[in-house]
Amino acid sequence: MLPWIQLDSATIPGENGELRLKQRGSEFSIMLGANELMNSRLSGSEEALATLSWDRIKSHPKPRILIGGLGMGFTLRAALAVLPEDAGVTVAELVPAVVAWARGPMAEVFQGCLDDPRVGIHQGDVGEAIRAGKGAYDAILLDVDNGPDGLTRKSNDRLYDFAGLRAASDALRPGGVLAVWSSGPDADFTRRLKGSGFSVDAVNTRANGKRGGARHVIWLAVKPVK
């Protein structure tokens, strides 16, 4: 079996943590400590984050989407595959090296999706983009941690508490959806979403889509239309 080779590392702004990009043959992995955040062989649930969200907003004209976390581009590519030509997608990525990896060693994985004219990159905290975007988005897709807690950054906890959920609601248009990826269930987060006024579904997905793999959860929290 081919050994893993570390290609690069990058510190997380404002944190002590370090991301490591590794490669084994044609396979890539992004690690945080002992935790594998993503792997290029497993894309099913990240793609579902986009497609399940699109099902909730496909009647919205000129949809505007905010994706928190570039990762390996699976959510972005799945969104672009279903969104119309007049859509707009902002990808908030905190770590500059992740964007560089997308255009460099992982360019084949990304298949040029960052060059799509519908796509813009926000280099910074997705929480800042949410708080600055009052009524700006039809969907906010979050895959910046392994669930609704600050794994990659402790300050990410603020995305998932009541104040963070109110900010997300304020950034959404009526009928918009907040979608959150997780490696597992979290009943407390479901209760916080409902307590913040969202209509909530927690959908079970598989890491490798129909081919199986680990079980993941995607929360689809829809803002009421008043």
Side-chain angles (χ1 to χ4, degrees):
M1 180 177 289
L2 292 173
W4 283 104
I5 299 170
Q6 182 167 314
L7 300 181
D8 198 10
S9 63
T11 57
I12 301 172
E15 300 287 326
N16 293 324
E18 180 182 73
L19 298 182
R20 292 178 289 125
L21 175 64
K22 301 172 68 176
Q23 182 178 10
R24 180 173 64 185
S26 61
E27 179 183 0
F28 293 90
S29 174
I30 296 179
M31 304 285 296
L32 174 65
N35 294 304
E36 183 176 62
L37 298 182
M38 58 208 74
N39 185 290
S40 60
R41 294 186 301 104
L42 304 172
S43 60
S45 58
E46 286 85 354
E47 292 164 353
L49 182 64
T51 56
L52 291 171
S53 299
W54 172 242
D55 286 343
R56 267 65 176 179
I57 65 163
K58 56 188 174 184
S59 63
H60 292 209
K62 297 182 179 180
R64 294 294 178 265
I65 312 298
L66 174 64
I67 297 177
L70 176 59
M72 292 186 176
F74 296 125
T75 299
L76 174 59
R77 284 171 49 199
L80 293 174
V82 296
L83 288 169
E85 291 184 359
D86 60 359
V89 183
T90 300
V91 181
E93 176 52 57
L94 181 69
V95 184
V98 174
V99 180
W101 296 342
R103 298 190 182 280
M106 289 197 295
E108 187 172 340
V109 175
F110 277 81
Q111 299 180 12
C113 65
L114 293 184
D115 298 321
D116 190 297
R118 293 171 291 178
V119 176
I121 299 292
H122 169 80
Q123 189 68 66
D125 181 8
V126 67
E128 294 174 357
I130 290 172
R131 291 188 291 272
K134 301 290 185 180
Y137 302 110
D138 296 282
I140 298 171
L141 283 52
L142 296 181
D143 185 9
V144 294
D145 297 291
N146 266 5
D149 59 77
L151 174 66
T152 57
R153 300 175 77 211
K154 189 60 182 174
S155 57
N156 278 356
D157 284 340
R158 294 179 295 181
L159 293 171
Y160 314 110
D161 62 18
F162 280 111
L165 296 178
R166 284 194 297 270
S169 180
D170 289 343
L172 288 169
R173 297 167 180 169
V177 60
L178 169 66
V180 180
W181 184 96
S182 176
S183 60
D186 186 325
D188 286 340
F189 185 58
T190 300
R191 285 191 287 269
R192 288 200 299 277
L193 285 167
K194 292 179 177 179
S196 299
F198 290 102
S199 174
V200 182
D201 286 322
V203 179
N204 293 315
T205 65
R206 302 298 289 266
N208 224 6
K210 293 181 179 179
R211 290 175 292 170
R215 297 181 184 276
H216 298 155
V217 176
I218 294 172
W219 284 273
L220 298 162
V222 177
K223 180 177 179 176
V225 178
K226 295 182 180 179

